[in-house]
Amino acid sequence: MPYCTSCGAEYKQGAKFCGECGASTEGDSAAPIRRSSAGAAPGSGSGPEIELWQGKPAGISDRLKGIIRLNTTTYTITSQRIMVKTGLIGKDVEEIELLRVNDFSVDQSIMQRILGIGILTVFSDDASSPQLILRRIRHPQTVKDALRKAVRDEKIANNISYREQI
């Protein structure tokens, strides 16, 4: 079967338009490129999960814990979810899917601004954890901007949009 030259989706022989993207198939020869969905969740509009940012708490006490390898909290932002892993012996993992994220908040005291750290709070409609707090992260505004872009990309990939009723 031939493949669409625009999106790579397979279409039936003799079809005039691609059933996936709507592009014209007339005059096209079979495209050698096939769309890969490896790593994508079933029904998900996004591709494979990619790690966008990873960090640890960066306060003064956290840096001392890092020296003796006791700083066991890890924050990870991927293209599909946010994860907070804590625990020295047993591990506790808290996750929020990016599709459920509603808003963000960055807080920095004067001392935190001097140290270049802050608190990023993620607000979501997740039932188990409506707020996820990433404490004492480096460059919190940069992390928030990366997270905001990832949330928007994930929602666009899954055709999710919101309307406000006035």
Side-chain angles (χ1 to χ4, degrees), residues 56 61-71:
K56 289 182 168 277
S61 64
D62 298 304
R63 291 178 186 172
L64 294 174
K65 288 179 189 176
I67 292 171
I68 56 175
R69 301 197 189 276
L70 289 178
N71 189 356

Side-chain angles (χ1 to χ4, degrees), residues 105-108 112 117-121 133-137 140:
S105 172
V106 173
D107 296 320
Q108 284 184 298
Q112 287 176 328
I117 61 176
I119 299 170
L120 174 63
T121 306
I133 300 172
L134 309 179
R135 300 179 193 280
R136 298 181 299 274
I137 59 172

Side-chain angles (χ1 to χ4, degrees), residues 98-109:
L98 293 184
L99 295 174
R100 295 188 165 277
V101 173
N102 294 329
D103 201 9
F104 318 98
S105 172
V106 173
D107 296 320
Q108 284 184 298
S109 66

Side-chain angles (χ1 to χ4, degrees), residues 22-89:
S24 175
T25 60
E26 303 233 346
D28 290 345
S29 60
I33 301 170
R34 184 171 183 179
R35 182 176 49 175
S36 173
S37 60
S44 172
S46 60
E49 189 171 19
I50 300 166
E51 186 177 294
L52 303 174
W53 178 84
Q54 186 174 31
K56 289 182 168 277
I60 294 170
S61 64
D62 298 304
R63 291 178 186 172
L64 294 174
K65 288 179 189 176
I67 292 171
I68 56 175
R69 301 197 189 276
L70 289 178
N71 189 356
T72 60
T73 302
T74 304
Y75 304 127
T76 306
I77 298 173
T78 70
S79 58
Q80 296 177 2
R81 58 190 167 157
I82 306 165
M83 295 179 285
V84 177
K85 295 179 185 176
T86 56
L88 182 61
I89 296 173

